[in-house]
Amino acid sequence: MKPTSLTAGRSTRLRSTVSIAIVSALLLSTAGCGPTGKRIATAPVKGKVTYKGAPVTTGTVMFIPTTGGPPATAEIQPDGTYSLKTYDPGDGAVLGDHTVAVTAMDLPAGTPEDPVAAPTMLVPPEFGNPSTSGLTATVVEGDNALDFNL
């Protein structure tokens, strides 16, 4: 059987699919934690994710409230910055304490002539699981600037 390869477009779709799958699994694990049909108060949360001092250039940040409620997510931008969304872009996260997960991997672009290479983890995998990440955050009223130096 011939090795499969990805085009640049497929790589982007695969990267998005992997991130969505991880976030979806985490969202399903928190289903039922908050009231349905009602929005819980949120506050804007922005920050930057670095690993060993360098910006993490792609990935997902997820805040999971420790007392229940909807989680907030954000895509990490190429400069390492993120802006959380719970209900609407930029609305942030619910107020209170959170466990935090950061997933980041680089999927090879490849061409039809190149074999597919394995994805490269940009941060250790334990950061992608809120129960093993060791990352926490407290969201308060007003603007929140929360950086994660992994």
Side-chain angles (χ1 to χ4, degrees):
M1 184 175 221
K2 247 175 125 176
T4 311
S5 55
L6 296 173
T7 64
R10 285 184 184 164
S11 178
T12 301
R13 284 191 301 273
L14 183 57
R15 181 179 296 120
S16 296
T17 301
V18 169
S19 291
I20 289 169
I22 291 168
V23 170
S24 295
L26 289 170
L27 286 171
L28 287 174
S29 71
T30 60
C33 293
T36 57
K38 293 184 180 179
R39 288 187 174 206
I40 299 173
T42 61
V45 178
K46 294 181 180 184
K48 188 170 187 174
V49 180
T50 58
Y51 179 64
K52 294 185 177 180
V56 175
T57 59
T58 187
T60 304
V61 176
M62 179 178 235
F63 279 43
I64 301 115
T66 59
T67 57
T73 60
E75 285 188 36
I76 300 171
Q77 301 304 305
D79 63 354
T81 59
Y82 71 92
S83 177
L84 287 176
K85 169 192 175 188
T86 297
Y87 304 107
D88 301 308
D91 66 355
V94 299
L95 304 178
D97 295 328
H98 299 259
T99 55
V100 179
V102 176
T103 57
M105 67 178 71
D106 186 27
L107 300 174
T111 65
E113 295 80 28
D114 297 327
V116 173
T120 303
M121 298 301 294
L122 300 176
V123 299
E126 60 264 18
F127 290 115
N129 183 334
S131 63
T132 62
S133 73
L135 303 173
T136 61
T138 300
V139 177
V140 297
E141 289 186 28
D143 292 337
N144 294 265
L146 301 170
D147 294 338
F148 294 96
N149 301 304
L150 312 178

